Amino acid sequence: PPSAWALRRSLWSAQEEPRRSLGHLTDELLCLLPFEPAHFATPSARFVGHVALETQLPNVRWAVAPADAIAPLFAPRPSTLPMAPVMTPREFVISHPLPSWARFPEAEPRPDRTGRPPTLVFFPGSRKAEVNDGLALLERLVPLLRHLRPSWLISTIASTQVQVETLLQERGLLGQVRIEQQRAALFACADVAIAASGTITTELAAHGVPTAVFYRGSWLTQALARKLAKVEHVSLVNILAGQAAMPEFIFDNCQPREVARGVEELVVTGERQAHAARSVLPYMVQWDCFSRLPVAPSAMIGHRLAVNSPPSNN
């Protein structure tokens, strides 16, 4: 049967050969970012966009036309042409300036802090090992944060896979950290966020939340990353921006005191940094030059899957 793969960032942020050969293993290679198709030796690599933006920007008007019915801003490479030059993410952004209409509306204003304590939200990750590691960091962060700013209100997200309440209780944090069931509530109340590297950082950028990114990882992960990684940042937003729009605390640099200082700096500079992070989000979706609307990634993916599905026997 036809096969389609959704591309993971790790394939283009590391070595070259696996990505060059991957296109021969599938009928369709669905890419989240516009520069990714050029990294693969196949015309079947297609840019469909990042679904996280569609889900986190529900008030944006999205085009839902199939890919062959739009005039794409980031045009696909014709199948008759050889592979396009491979660019780094930042090179692509610089060489493809956005027209004035290819912009998302400004994020909702952050809560007015006048007369109330600031709120910090903590996203430790989704997998069990990530949550354990993240809460270990939070255990050391809480007294440091409260030493710098005693009025902090700190919240975290419940997990479907891990008993966050139990873990907080084991670490003596249950009375100091509030657990929220819905991410939307945290997005709405946050003044600043600390988040494990992952899709959550893109979602926070979409909501205009000033964010510090952390990733610790095992010694093996650190060794492999130092050997294979070709990018200077881990957050997709920062990779596209070519700067630390979201300050990063990775591996050995993920020290509680440094993270706490970074959070304090975000209280002052967060609005500017959140704007820089949000400014690259239009590169994560396709745009229709006819309607001048962003194209819904779910519509792009659904169309490609329908094109490659075998005809019904009915």
Side-chain angles (χ1 to χ4, degrees):
S3 61
W5 284 25
L7 178 63
R8 292 187 61 184
R9 183 189 69 186
S10 55
L11 288 173
W12 55 258
S13 62
Q15 296 299 315
E16 181 173 351
E17 286 309 314
R19 68 173 190 242
R20 289 287 180 170
S21 59
L22 179 61
H24 299 298
L25 302 178
T26 179
D27 298 287
E28 195 87 10
L29 193 60
L30 306 181
C31 301
L32 303 184
L33 300 167
F35 58 83
E36 291 176 336
H39 286 253
F40 297 90
T42 174
S44 68
R46 299 175 187 274
F47 171 47
V48 295
H50 204 309
V51 176
L53 292 186
E54 185 181 354
T55 60
Q56 297 306 317
L57 297 174
N59 294 328
V60 169
R61 184 183 172 196
W62 295 90
V64 294
D68 56 3
I70 66 170
L73 176 61
F74 305 116
R77 182 181 71 255
S79 59
T80 56
L81 295 181
M83 289 185 65
V86 173
M87 298 182 183
T88 66
R90 188 56 189 166
E91 287 172 345
F92 184 93
V93 169
I94 292 172
S95 63
H96 293 76
L98 293 169
S100 60
W101 50 264
R103 299 285 192 277
F104 290 121
E106 291 296 321
E108 292 292 325
R110 303 313 307 156
D112 184 1
R113 287 200 299 267
T114 304
R116 70 168 181 84
T119 297
L120 180 145
V121 299
F122 186 84
F123 292 93
S126 56
R127 294 186 290 270
K128 183 175 182 179
E130 290 177 336
V131 174
N132 276 310
D133 201 39
L135 294 183
L137 172 64
L138 183 61
E139 180 181 11
R140 298 178 63 188
L141 271 175
V142 167
L144 294 171
L145 291 167
R146 293 243 161 85
H147 175 75
L148 294 171
R149 189 178 296 264
S151 59
W152 273 120
L153 296 178
I154 303 174
S155 297
T156 191
I157 187 70
S159 171
T160 57
Q161 301 183 37
V162 185
Q163 292 296 322
V164 172
E165 182 175 353
T166 300
L167 293 175
L168 288 176
Q169 187 171 22
E170 291 174 353
R171 297 182 180 280
L173 295 174
L174 191 57
Q176 303 181 62
V177 178
R178 183 172 63 91
I179 301 175
E180 177 58 59
Q181 300 295 322
Q182 301 295 327
R183 285 190 298 179
L186 293 179
F187 293 150
C189 74
D191 294 303
V192 178
I194 304 174
S197 176
T199 301
I200 185 63
T201 61
T202 299
E203 296 176 348
L204 286 161
H207 289 274
V209 180
T211 302
V213 182
F214 77 91
Y215 187 76
R216 303 177 85 176
S218 66
W219 66 268
L220 179 59
T221 300
Q222 295 187 37
L224 290 173
R226 291 190 177 100
K227 181 177 178 61
L228 299 177
K230 306 191 307 137
V231 292
E232 296 181 8
H233 303 287
V234 297
S235 165
L236 187 54
V237 166
N238 288 345
I239 290 172
L240 289 169
Q243 61 175 318
M246 293 178 165
E248 295 183 346
F249 302 91
I250 308 302
F251 297 149
D252 294 340
N253 293 326
C254 186
Q255 300 298 327
R257 290 187 183 278
E258 295 303 314
V259 177
R261 291 192 192 101
V263 168
E264 276 298 307
E265 290 179 10
L266 279 179
V267 174
V268 178
T269 65
E271 185 176 346
R272 173 175 55 82
Q273 290 183 289
H275 179 77
R278 190 176 169 86
S279 69
V280 299
L281 297 185
Y283 286 97
M284 296 189 191
V285 296
Q286 183 61 274
W287 293 79
D288 178 17
C289 295
F290 288 148
S291 64
R292 296 191 170 185
L293 295 175
V295 184
S298 61
M300 298 277 284
I301 294 170
H303 175 67
R304 295 316 311 168
L305 293 178
V307 166
N308 286 281
S309 296
S312 174
N313 292 327
N314 296 331

